[in-house]
Amino acid sequence: MTGQHTPAGATASHAAASDASASQATTHATASDVTLRVNGKPCTLTVDHRRTLLDLLREDLDLPGAKKGCDHGQCGACTVLLGGRRVNSCLLLAVSLDGCDVTTVEGLSGDGEELHPLQRAFQERDAFQCGYCTPGQICSALGALAEAAAGHPSLVTDPQAPAGRPVRLDRAEIRERLSGNLCRCGAYPRIVEAVEDVIP
């Protein structure tokens, strides 16, 4: 019986090419280029599809303000602003945010040394102890202020309040709207006071 003989070198070469193609396909399948505008500055990175926004900010962009607390979206320590709205950055895949604007606590004061009014209020009210949750508390409070100004109700908003009108923030509203941000030191009363200080 006669068969074709394939040279060993050709077989090895074909195998190497197949491995290279598979490796390239794997790389393309698990990472993508993503462009974000972080604290007003555009940045483009090649991001693993499994990488969260929190890890990208802390490990790739050296912005450690947002903290990794529970890593399950339950403590609020990782809160940042995405297009002006507060989000838990530990729950968002960075690859899904291409083209988005992200603001972290580091970007609240712009390029200057002057603190954001809410940061200053936290400082003046001594609204922190260990400080671990403070960046998330501040970003969450800014998001809450914007939501109330846009007329978004909370669980404790008066059902008779006119729809779409700014919601008046009393202490009950502030506590409810910030209830997703935990403070193990128990600085809640001072946090509420700091937020009250910056209500327009």
Side-chain angles (χ1 to χ4, degrees), residues 36-111:
L36 300 172
R37 189 171 182 83
V38 181
N39 297 330
K41 299 176 182 178
C43 59
T44 300
L45 307 92
T46 300
V47 179
D48 188 297
H49 292 172
R50 299 162 295 180
R51 198 158 189 75
T52 64
L53 175 59
L54 176 60
D55 288 338
L56 181 144
L57 292 172
R58 291 180 58 82
E59 299 175 16
D60 299 332
L61 299 182
D62 196 26
L63 294 170
K67 299 296 190 291
K68 182 172 286 194
C70 65
D71 214 21
H72 287 80
Q74 297 175 348
C75 72
C78 67
T79 304
V80 299
L81 299 173
L82 184 66
R85 301 190 66 177
R86 52 187 174 159
V87 296
N88 291 325
S89 59
C90 75
L91 296 181
L92 296 176
L93 293 176
V95 72
S96 69
L97 305 176
D98 189 36
C100 291
D101 288 303
V102 180
T103 303
T104 70
V105 71
E106 291 93 342
L108 297 183
S109 58
D111 292 328

Side-chain angles (χ1 to χ4, degrees), residues 176-200:
E176 171 60 30
R177 290 172 186 267
L178 297 186
S179 61
N181 289 78
L182 306 182
C183 173
R184 292 188 177 185
C185 300
Y188 299 114
R190 297 297 181 88
I191 291 171
V192 172
E193 291 171 359
V195 176
E196 284 182 312
D197 287 347
V198 299
I199 294 175

